[in-house]
Amino acid sequence: MAPTVIITGASRGIGKVIALDLAHRGFNLMLVARTEAPLMAVRAECEKIGAKAATCIIDVTKPEAAPTLRDASLDAFGPPWGLVNNAGMAESAPLAKTDDDLLQRHMELNFYAPMRLTRAVLPRMVENKGGRVVNICSTAALCGYPYVSAYAASKHALLGATRSLAREFAQKGVTFNAVCPGYVRTEIWDATIKNVVDKTGLDEVQAEDKLKKLSPQYRVFEPAEVAHVVAFLLAEESHGITGQALSIDGGEIEH
Ligand code: NDP
């Protein structure tokens, strides 16, 4: 039977491209998001490619999400091989406007939800003596940037947990890795450009220029580049790679 991978935030952006890439590679897919129509469309695309796909329409920040998703995945395909914690949010604000609500929203979606999901699916991976957890972090998990303290803190937290769990489960066959992209061309990128334009008075081209300059390659990254690294980490042959943060940033961060 083909291995199963659970992907959160699979209805658009990076998660959608990961789903289609893994469909081409023959994985069974459990696709997760809150909004039904786009998720069903991704499911149909995966099935057209020839993959088996199921959906779970759920807000991953709800307390019942982790057990619900685990059970839906077990019912559809049996124990999962992989979990890709991709659903995430990025809202920018200066410190004065970084209120508790903003902090809480980032921590709930970018940190608590992946932790709860990981806790729910891990026992079956350990039982099967194998599994892969891939957490989509960010370059903001490795260094700070102005106006995104809530986002950066939540991604640093997820990376810290990734590294700790890699050691905790090192001899159980399960690996934990983080993928850390710079700006990727999705709705988050569009929203960021709009925000820079609104807040600074720069035009769109100037705003893009400012953000592209973060990378020595002077560019925005594509979701397919993230999907490529996720597939690499999910492979059985990647067993020796754990506790790592793989950057996709054109050389911005050296570590
Ligand atoms: P998008 O906003 O394009 O997509 C987010 C996905 O997550 C959607 O499928 C959305 O579907 C889902 N989602 C959002 N909130 C929830 C929730 N509470 N429960 C379940 N699903 C949810 O994001 P990207 O594709 O740009 O980003 C994906 C990941 O990559 C994030 O973790 C982000 O932090 C990270 N990243 C992105 C970068 C970028 O520049 N784009 C750079 C670095 C990292 P729905 O709304 O229907 O629930």
Side-chain angles (χ1 to χ4, degrees), residues 205-224:
V205 175
Q206 289 167 326
E208 286 210 11
D209 175 64
K210 189 179 159 80
L211 297 182
K212 283 180 184 167
K213 277 187 180 140
L214 288 170
S215 168
Q217 288 183 345
Y218 185 71
R219 67 191 189 92
V220 192
F221 301 90
E222 298 300 327

Side-chain angles (χ1 to χ4, degrees), residues 5-126:
V5 178
I6 302 169
I7 309 166
T8 66
S11 61
R12 61 171 191 265
I14 295 170
K16 174 180 175 177
V17 176
I18 292 171
L20 297 178
D21 180 82
L22 296 182
H24 280 292
R25 295 173 196 267
F27 287 92
N28 295 333
L29 300 166
M30 171 53 75
L31 309 170
V32 186
R34 293 168 302 181
T35 318
E36 185 165 2
L39 194 66
M40 294 309 281
V42 174
R43 176 182 173 166
E45 279 191 66
C46 291
E47 287 172 340
K48 207 167 154 196
I49 291 165
K52 288 195 180 124
T55 50
C56 186
I57 315 292
I58 203 155
D59 180 341
V60 293
T61 64
K62 298 287 181 218
E64 69 278 11
T68 304
L69 180 49
R70 175 199 57 209
D71 294 348
S73 179
L74 282 172
D75 287 350
F77 301 119
W81 165 255
L83 168 64
V84 181
N85 283 308
N86 166 74
M89 61 175 288
E91 275 178 48
S92 61
L95 177 63
K97 291 189 177 159
T98 302
D99 57 19
D100 286 1
D101 221 49
L102 186 77
L103 289 171
Q104 194 63 35
R105 279 203 303 280
H106 278 85
M107 292 306 283
E108 280 293 341
L109 181 56
N110 295 353
F111 179 60
Y112 290 121
M115 287 300 282
R116 293 190 196 114
L117 259 178
T118 303
R119 203 165 54 210
V121 303
L122 240 280
R124 298 308 292 266
M125 290 185 182
V126 170

Side-chain angles (χ1 to χ4, degrees), residues 73-236:
S73 179
L74 282 172
D75 287 350
F77 301 119
W81 165 255
L83 168 64
V84 181
N85 283 308
N86 166 74
M89 61 175 288
E91 275 178 48
S92 61
L95 177 63
K97 291 189 177 159
T98 302
D99 57 19
D100 286 1
D101 221 49
L102 186 77
L103 289 171
Q104 194 63 35
R105 279 203 303 280
H106 278 85
M107 292 306 283
E108 280 293 341
L109 181 56
N110 295 353
F111 179 60
Y112 290 121
M115 287 300 282
R116 293 190 196 114
L117 259 178
T118 303
R119 203 165 54 210
V121 303
L122 240 280
R124 298 308 292 266
M125 290 185 182
V126 170
E127 212 174 285
N128 286 344
K129 298 185 171 48
R132 302 279 179 268
V133 177
V134 180
N135 292 323
I136 307 300
C137 286
S138 164
T139 47
L142 295 159
C143 69
Y145 298 91
Y147 309 116
V148 289
S149 55
Y151 179 69
S154 67
K155 293 293 188 180
H156 271 69
L158 185 57
L159 177 57
T162 307
R163 288 172 166 155
S164 292
L165 293 172
R167 288 174 182 257
E168 192 171 327
F169 290 92
Q171 295 186 19
K172 306 282 185 196
V174 183
T175 66
F176 295 81
N177 290 289
V179 179
C180 297
Y183 279 111
V184 181
R185 208 178 288 281
T186 71
E187 284 181 23
I188 286 184
W189 165 258
D190 296 339
T192 305
I193 292 296
K194 185 175 177 312
N195 199 27
V196 174
V197 168
D198 291 348
K199 299 267 161 61
T200 63
L202 295 175
D203 65 26
E204 264 185 43
V205 175
Q206 289 167 326
E208 286 210 11
D209 175 64
K210 189 179 159 80
L211 297 182
K212 283 180 184 167
K213 277 187 180 140
L214 288 170
S215 168
Q217 288 183 345
Y218 185 71
R219 67 191 189 92
V220 192
F221 301 90
E222 298 300 327
E225 298 179 83
V226 182
H228 170 71
V229 175
V230 170
F232 164 72
L233 291 171
L234 286 170
E236 199 156 359

